[in-house]
Amino acid sequence: MSNEWIRVAYCDDIPLREGREVVIGNRSIAVFNLGAKFLAVDNRCPHRGGPLADGIVTGDNVVCPLHGWKIDLQHGNVQRPAETPACVKTFATKVEAGMLLLEISELASCPASTGHAAVAEGGSLETSKERPCEDLRFS
Amino acid sequence: MEKLVVVGNGMAGVACVEQILRHAPKFQITIFGDETHVNYNRILLSSVLAGEKSADDIVLNGLEWYEKNNIDLRLGVRIVDVDPIAKTITGDDGSVTSFDKLLLATGSMPLIPSIEDVKKDGVFVFRNLDDTHQLLERARPALKAVVIGGGLLGLEAARGLQIQGCDVTVVHLMETLMERQLDPTGGGYLATKMNQMGITVLLGLSTTKVLGNGHVQGVEFKGGGSIPTELVVIAAGIRPNITLAEKAGLEIKRGIVVNDYMETSHPDIFAVGECVQHRGVCYGLVAPLIEQGKVLAATITGNKGPTYEGTVLGTKLKIMGVDVFSAGEINDKVDGSEVIRYEDPSLGVYKKLTLKNNKLSGVILVGDTGDSHNYMDWLRSQKDLSAMRRQLLFPDSSADTGLDVAHMSGNETVCGCMGVSKGAIIQAIHEKGVCTMAQLKEHTRASTGCGSCAGLCQSLLKAVAPDFQEDTKKTICKCIPFTEDTLREILRSQQLKSVQEVLDIYGNGFGCEVCKPALSYMLDMLWCGDHDEDRSTRFINDRVHANIQKDGTFSVVPRIRGGVTSPDELRRIADVAEKYNVRMVKITGSQRIDLLGVKKSDLPKVWADLGMPSGQAYTKGIRMVKTCVGTDFCRFGTQDSTSAGIELERRFENLFTPHKLKMGVVGCPRNCAEATVKDIGLVGQDGSWQVVVGGAAGKSVRKADLLITVETTEQALDAASLFLQYYRENANYLERTYDFVERLGIEKVRKETIYAPDAMKAALRDRLRKSKAHSRDAWLERDDPQTATQFVQITPLQEVLA
Ligand SMILES: Cc1cc2nc3c(=O)[nH]c(=O)nc-3n(C[C@H](O)[C@H](O)[C@H](O)COP(=O)(O)OP(=O)(O)OC[C@H]3O[C@@H](n4cnc5c(N)ncnc54)[C@H](O)[C@@H]3O)c2cc1C
Ligand code: HEM
Ligand code: SF4
Ligand code: FES
């Protein structure tokens, strides 16, 4: 279960306060340039799978372009609608030599449902389509 | 009846008369005022200068109030003499009036520091409505202005002039702005904020001379330096008006000396307001004057008993977007005082509390004044704070705005200026049936001072009044506390050209998905491309010029003007649909063709292969013109609707609008292309066109209103242009024409478009032309992307092994 840092993009290619989709294997990750930092989450809204990379950034959150769910990019939890027990996976980021690196680990944090961590365990980059929170269907 | 004569028709005098009228009728009242206006709210002169209010908006008591209360009002008469023995006063018109009781409420006048040549044309003070009107007359864009004095009044004057477009410098004698209310750190934060707004602040400079011959050309400082300027405002403090008291032989020091019953040294002469000195203090704010007035009203009507014991002052700077609050002791070097501070330079927030024996003795807030009511209450009540030491700087971090009215006690003050408690407001709601802000103001006077308690009053009404009616204007969202009208004015006058800049200066620094696109629209509309087009503030549709679908793919609708296409175009569309595996090809409701299910990364290629311009189906902009076949083919046709429609589309295409804008042109009233339910429609008739606006056939259905009937196609296109630009400039973001026309009324729309004075019409056409000249087909970004990754999905730089 090694964590791996992957060089994904030149920082300059991610415009300030915008998101971009990065495809690693068959996983789609949304990376955001928030000026002082870069944040990365799974590019899939917990509501109906909207592309979070295409959302408008507000502070450290992004608003999904499909139906306006608001996701905290720092921790991955849903801010709006309030008290929605769903979240997206977050990924650690760092910048080296003008390049953005992501840490792809199988145990990426999901505060709202730590119980789901087991699902993610054993997942490789291919099998990581399993999103810990997706089972929390809300309707 | 006894004769009560009041000198001074200002805030304190009239407020005291209001109180006197609440006691049993006892007096026949005469009020003299040397200003020529009825009683108005002096505090709000800053808002008048800033263009947020008109002179009429700030009237406190109109003529009918004086009439109703049988008050003899003598405006424009200055009282020049008092005879305390004969009990008469003399006016500058020669009139002599006798009194039984005299009330001096003469306020104060601006203090003019000794500056050489200060009488030059172009030097002003800022005290009354006439001063304000003069300043407004002089102020114009790019005029250089200097405000001498960096206190509350000076800063508000500076901001007002700046909003009028002036290039403003504040020159302050001290090293700290508002040094009577702020410590050096707080003053520093304030200076930064003023600088960010584009106001230059010069500290520690003593102005010695006004330069120029006849008219002001500059000011010179001690030590020799100087700066050029065409206008000077002196706001260096005030001095109580005591000449009359001197003549009456009253005891005076800096002001007219009064005791706790508000009596002067003469048994029949009383004084109230800024002209008095009580327990050694002369006040310069409204709150104490109102308290004094209540006490004086009791004393003068023979109900002597209540006493005035001084006021704990809280000062708020009234500049939108610059939050400053200060109250109590600001000197933290007093023995035994403890200081609790918090600061965040990038947010521009500074908070300092000074405690003594666990009780609040002073507070300074810059950048975040949401909790000022709380602190004011702690100061007044001298509550013991030991139990809440951990939450002092963030008393209720969960609450969104300021303090929760539910947690306030009944005797806690809501309106600091007029001294109205929560209990008094609730009483008015229950007993007088108050349910709007306007009624609340009338019955309690709450929120008629500086207006900063309006939010609290509003929440109280909302919570308590059963028939609460909102009567305030709407802001876009919580990020930026202004109405859209005000925002447009701010952007224009401040020459703001980037959304982030606007949010940094006037908002919370972040913005959200609601205000960012709205601000982007405003900037584009105002500056016609000469602005910082920041795509991060745009909805995804406007970043990639296509309409996002539920699965994250996009739809592509090329422009087919007037719904008229050709075999060649249709062939290309068919080829594209096949080449890119378009999931569905659909004829839309607006005579166009939609290619659904295109991947973002394919968009530029699709556009290139189509070789057609963007139909703007994804944006808040000009959509299409739906046309019928008209005279060319139709046997009923009376006008050539097809070519008129194509021309209309050509003239407006690529422009952005507050909400989507759909048009229709039909050749006769049979209305085959449904022009009467479009935002703009042209309906052909024999020999004329009807131009109709504000129609809808969506979630709402509304028949368009007739704007005008004209003879030629060119006239019809012109009327449509006037309406379009008027809508672009005046509608709120996301307000469709049918809401806009309904809100304003078609009469007003007509008056300000087709029936406007020629100069206004020319200006509307001109601005539309300018916008049009700067607009372009968004799909050209296929060859010239905004950013290297505009349409690209990023693949990692390094190879990733599974
Ligand atoms: C621009 C501005 C902003 C302000 N902002 C605030 C604020 O935010 N908060 C706050 O609490 N206070 C504020 N103030 C101060 C507040 O307006 C005053 O404290 C208040 O108006 C004083 O009331 P007054 O009745 O004592 O004096 P005034 O309102 O000045 O009334 C005195 C009146 O008497 C008239 N008068 C004087 N002598 C004679 C005479 N001999 N014969 C006839 N008439 C005479 C004067 O012309 C004047 O009309 C502000 C003041 C200004 C100018
Ligand atoms: C801000 C609040 C919300 C908005 C604006 C919103 C909006 C929408 C919209 C527009 C759709 C249709 C999606 C489509 O067809 O593409 C949808 C579907 C759905 N929403 Fe929401 N929604 C919200 C909150 C919620 C919440 C709180 C839940 C569950 C707890 C939820 C569960 C669902 C589900 C299960 C569907 C799919 C329904 C179906 O496929 O028939 N939504 N929502
Ligand atoms: S609206 Fe009139 S002119 Fe146009 S197609 Fe219909 S009937 Fe013919
Ligand atoms: S898919 Fe993100 S809000 Fe619906």
Side-chain angles (χ1 to χ4, degrees):
Chain A
M1 286 308 87
S2 61
N3 293 357
E4 196 183 347
W5 284 100
I6 296 174
R7 279 176 309 215
V8 295
Y10 292 105
C11 296
D12 290 350
D13 281 341
I14 305 162
L16 182 60
R17 289 183 292 273
E18 281 190 47
R20 285 292 181 265
E21 178 187 16
V22 179
V23 179
I24 299 178
N26 55 9
R27 155 180 256 158
S28 165
I29 297 174
V31 293
F32 294 87
N33 175 355
L34 300 182
K37 59 187 174 238
F38 286 84
L39 294 176
V41 298
D42 249 338
N43 187 25
R44 195 163 191 282
C45 178
H47 178 218
R48 301 292 291 157
L52 295 178
D54 287 343
I56 291 181
V57 164
T58 155
D60 285 352
N61 307 293
V62 69
V63 177
C64 176
L66 293 195
H67 320 103
W69 276 33
K70 189 154 115 187
I71 315 292
D72 178 342
L73 295 172
Q74 193 86 255
H75 308 104
N77 49 312
V78 175
Q79 298 275 331
R80 182 181 67 209
E83 292 171 30
T84 307
C87 68
V88 291
K89 221 172 189 175
T90 60
F91 301 90
T93 62
K94 68 178 175 188
V95 172
E96 270 173 16
M99 279 178 285
L100 173 66
L101 285 80
L102 293 189
E103 187 183 30
I104 303 300
S105 84
E106 281 72 36
L107 291 165
S109 66
C110 176
S113 65
T114 41
H116 285 276
V119 179
E121 251 173 28
S124 69
L125 282 177
E126 277 90 351
T127 60
S128 62
K129 263 181 120 175
E130 293 139 353
R131 269 154 286 266
C133 283
E134 213 182 24
D135 300 339
L136 286 176
R137 281 271 158 188
F138 18 76
S139 199
Chain B
M1 261 201 196
E2 280 193 291
K3 273 197 272 185
L4 169 65
V5 175
V6 183
V7 185
N9 186 37
M11 294 191 75
V14 174
C16 181
V17 169
E18 283 181 12
Q19 292 296 327
I20 289 172
L21 292 170
R22 295 188 173 201
H23 292 268
K26 190 167 179 342
F27 297 113
Q28 188 190 326
I29 304 174
T30 306
I31 301 181
F32 285 92
D34 62 357
E35 291 186 64
T36 49
H37 306 277
V38 291
N39 177 230
Y40 63 86
N41 186 341
R42 193 172 306 284
I43 300 181
L44 294 182
L45 287 179
S46 309
S47 310
V48 175
L49 186 62
E52 295 154 15
K53 294 219 152 67
S54 71
D56 289 341
D57 293 336
I58 67 168
V59 167
L60 285 173
N61 287 301
L63 278 177
E64 61 294 341
W65 176 82
Y66 294 91
E67 263 166 40
K68 194 178 87 196
N69 292 295
N70 262 322
I71 295 170
D72 183 11
L73 176 65
R74 310 270 183 86
L75 288 180
V77 182
R78 181 166 186 79
I79 302 304
V80 292
D81 205 1
V82 186
D83 184 336
I85 304 188
K87 298 222 268 187
T88 57
I89 56 170
T90 312
D92 61 357
D93 57 349
S95 65
V96 176
T97 313
S98 65
F99 62 83
D100 296 307
K101 299 258 191 282
L102 179 66
L103 175 52
L104 298 177
T106 48
S108 42
M109 55 189 177
L111 190 79
I112 311 284
S114 59
I115 297 175
E116 206 177 315
D117 289 332
V118 76
K119 288 252 145 66
K120 278 201 171 48
D121 176 40
V123 181
F124 296 91
V125 293
F126 184 32
R127 173 75 196 173
N128 59 35
L129 251 178
D130 291 343
D131 299 335
T132 313
H133 284 147
Q134 281 178 12
L135 284 172
L136 281 172
E137 240 162 62
R138 289 289 175 111
R140 58 179 158 74
L143 183 89
K144 282 194 170 29
V146 164
V147 175
I148 299 178
L152 193 87
L153 187 64
L155 295 179
E156 291 183 6
R159 177 67 181 142
L161 287 171
Q162 195 210 15
I163 288 180
Q164 300 302 329
C166 300
D167 176 4
V168 186
T169 304
V170 173
V171 179
H172 193 45
L173 181 63
M174 303 296 178
E175 293 292 345
T176 301
L177 284 181
M178 288 180 66
E179 80 286 349
R180 288 181 33 197
Q181 289 91 16
L182 298 180
D183 61 356
T185 315
Y189 273 88
L190 175 56
T192 307
K193 194 82 195 182
M194 297 304 288
N195 276 323
Q196 279 173 358
M197 288 191 136
I199 292 175
T200 311
V201 176
L202 303 178
L203 297 170
L205 270 187
S206 163
T207 311
T208 50
K209 187 172 178 188
V210 177
L211 306 172
N213 65 58
H215 187 82
V216 170
Q217 285 173 334
V219 288
E220 190 175 283
F221 309 118
K222 193 165 162 184
S226 70
I227 52 173
T229 183
E230 296 150 272
L231 186 151
V232 173
V233 178
I234 296 185
I238 50 173
R239 204 176 55 205
N241 258 327
I242 50 174
T243 354
L244 284 183
E246 260 172 341
K247 293 203 166 143
L250 304 184
E251 182 191 350
I252 46 179
K253 285 189 179 141
R254 186 175 157 76
I256 306 168
V257 177
V258 297
N259 64 15
D260 288 1
Y261 297 107
M262 301 303 298
E263 295 163 321
T264 68
S265 55
H266 187 293
D268 291 318
I269 303 182
F270 300 83
V272 68
E274 277 186 349
C275 57
V276 311
Q277 176 167 347
H278 171 263
R279 297 193 185 175
V281 185
C282 295
Y283 291 99
L285 291 174
V286 166
L289 319 182
I290 302 297
E291 290 182 40
Q292 293 173 356
K294 288 182 186 160
V295 171
L296 177 53
T299 306
I300 207 170
T301 51
N303 300 300
K304 188 164 164 179
T307 53
Y308 175 66
E309 298 175 356
T311 305
V312 183
L313 286 181
T315 311
K316 223 170 193 165
L317 184 64
K318 303 189 303 297
I319 298 184
M320 287 197 284
V322 185
D323 296 321
V324 176
F325 174 80
S326 159
E329 181 63 60
I330 60 154
N331 177 7
D332 56 34
K333 303 286 179 313
V334 182
D335 269 356
S337 55
E338 285 179 276
V339 175
I340 300 168
R341 311 155 46 111
Y342 164 86
E343 49 182 304
D344 183 330
S346 39
L347 286 182
V349 174
Y350 174 64
K351 302 181 176 191
K352 183 175 97 174
L353 302 186
T354 311
L355 301 194
K356 226 179 151 179
N357 304 326
N358 276 317
K359 288 173 192 147
L360 190 61
S361 62
V363 49
I364 291 176
L365 306 173
V366 182
D368 175 4
T369 54
D371 293 311
S372 58
H373 262 85
N374 242 326
Y375 294 131
M376 210 52 211
D377 187 48
W378 293 351
L379 258 181
R380 289 208 181 96
S381 65
Q382 285 296 294
K383 172 177 179 158
D384 186 288
L385 302 172
S386 357
M388 37 197 317
R389 290 291 294 238
R390 280 180 189 283
Q391 288 93 42
L392 290 182
L393 284 171
F394 303 93
D396 187 1
S397 53
S398 64
D400 249 353
T401 45
L403 131 156
D404 184 359
V405 283
H407 294 144
M408 293 174 73
S409 64
N411 52 16
E412 212 168 296
T413 309
V414 171
C415 174
C417 293
M418 299 294 153
V420 187
S421 66
K422 174 179 168 185
I425 292 179
I426 291 180
Q427 195 181 356
I429 293 172
H430 289 322
E431 290 175 11
K432 305 257 164 60
V434 163
C435 59
T436 66
M437 273 298 274
Q439 292 166 345
L440 186 70
K441 286 179 178 176
E442 191 188 324
H443 286 285
T444 65
R445 287 266 164 237
S447 194
T448 56
C450 72
S452 68
C453 64
L456 275 178
C457 292
Q458 190 92 14
S459 353
L460 255 178
L461 276 172
K462 216 179 212 158
V464 184
D467 309 315
F468 169 69
Q469 286 158 15
E470 205 142 355
D471 53 5
T472 49
K473 293 183 195 159
K474 273 224 178 64
T475 59
I476 306 182
C477 65
K478 280 189 196 149
C479 305
I480 183 157
F482 301 94
T483 65
E484 291 187 46
D485 284 342
T486 315
L487 267 177
R488 277 190 294 268
E489 201 38 55
I490 289 176
L491 303 191
R492 197 192 326 263
S493 63
Q494 302 308 300
Q495 304 266 313
L496 290 170
K497 300 195 173 174
S498 112
V499 171
Q500 193 56 39
E501 196 180 13
V502 177
L503 290 168
D504 282 340
I505 299 179
Y506 294 94
N508 63 0
F510 301 122
C512 69
E513 78 284 5
V514 179
C515 58
K516 282 183 177 184
L519 289 168
S520 304
Y521 167 73
M522 288 180 202
L523 289 176
D524 179 79
M525 181 271 289
L526 282 170
W527 304 121
C528 309
D530 180 22
H531 66 281
D532 167 22
E533 167 66 32
D534 175 357
R535 287 290 160 81
S536 76
T537 64
R538 300 277 193 184
F539 187 58
I540 184 65
N541 287 8
D542 282 307
R543 294 184 190 171
V544 299
H545 317 303
N547 202 345
I548 193 163
Q549 307 297 310
K550 63 186 285 185
D551 61 355
T553 63
F554 292 85
S555 80
V556 170
V557 182
R559 192 166 286 291
I560 298 181
R561 295 185 190 96
V564 178
T565 180
S566 66
D568 179 42
E569 268 182 358
L570 290 172
R571 232 171 254 125
R572 272 181 278 148
I573 292 174
D575 288 345
V576 163
E578 277 179 357
K579 180 168 168 192
Y580 296 95
N581 294 316
V582 165
R583 276 180 35 214
M584 181 189 265
V585 182
K586 168 111 183 49
I587 307 285
T588 68
S590 41
Q591 303 183 339
R592 307 201 284 185
I593 296 176
D594 194 351
L595 304 170
L596 291 139
V598 179
K599 288 204 298 263
K600 191 202 275 177
S601 49
D602 283 340
L603 290 171
K605 290 175 274 177
V606 166
W607 301 334
D609 288 357
L610 283 173
M612 297 165 75
S614 159
Q616 287 186 295
Y618 46 82
T619 192
K620 311 301 174 211
I622 300 296
R623 288 288 169 91
M624 79 306 169
V625 182
K626 195 170 167 179
T627 65
C628 70
V629 292
T631 42
D632 271 4
F633 295 92
C634 177
R635 63 200 165 101
F636 299 112
T638 53
Q639 291 284 359
D640 183 357
S641 49
T642 320
S643 8
I646 291 173
E647 180 57 23
L648 187 64
E649 190 158 348
R650 266 187 205 289
R651 286 199 191 182
F652 296 168
E653 67 189 21
N654 298 332
L655 287 171
F656 294 99
T657 41
H659 206 308
K660 60 187 170 190
L661 192 124
K662 302 181 171 186
M663 295 177 285
V665 180
V666 290
C668 85
R670 286 174 188 74
N671 197 20
C672 292
E674 297 144 2
T676 55
V677 287
K678 294 284 179 270
D679 294 287
I680 298 179
L682 305 191
V683 181
Q685 288 167 326
D686 217 355
S688 68
W689 286 102
Q690 282 189 339
V691 181
V692 296
V693 296
K699 205 160 61 183
S700 323
V701 179
R702 181 177 192 273
K703 184 169 186 290
D705 291 311
L706 178 65
L707 185 68
I708 192 171
T709 304
V710 291
E711 272 174 31
T712 66
T713 308
E714 189 49 43
Q715 287 169 329
L717 293 173
D718 181 56
S721 308
L722 292 174
F723 174 77
L724 173 70
Q725 184 62 10
Y726 181 69
Y727 168 63
R728 281 171 31 94
E729 293 179 3
N730 294 288
N732 292 327
Y733 192 63
L734 297 188
E735 183 176 35
R736 285 292 296 266
T737 58
Y738 53 88
D739 288 325
F740 177 68
V741 169
E742 207 140 85
R743 175 164 67 90
L744 269 59
I746 187 70
E747 281 315 317
K748 181 174 160 83
V749 172
R750 282 190 185 139
K751 213 159 68 196
E752 305 203 337
T753 56
I754 48 163
Y755 297 134
D758 285 347
M760 260 174 75
K761 284 199 280 196
L764 278 172
R765 288 186 196 108
D766 211 53
R767 291 192 294 268
L768 182 66
R769 206 174 299 132
K770 192 156 165 243
S771 283
K772 178 66 186 171
H774 279 88
S775 68
R776 57 177 227 150
D777 171 17
W779 287 0
L780 294 176
E781 278 181 15
R782 61 179 174 248
D783 301 323
D784 179 20
Q786 275 269 318
T787 58
T789 52
Q790 184 173 2
F791 305 102
V792 184
Q793 191 182 54
I794 295 176
T795 35
L797 295 170
Q798 85 187 63
E799 209 169 312
V800 182
L801 300 171

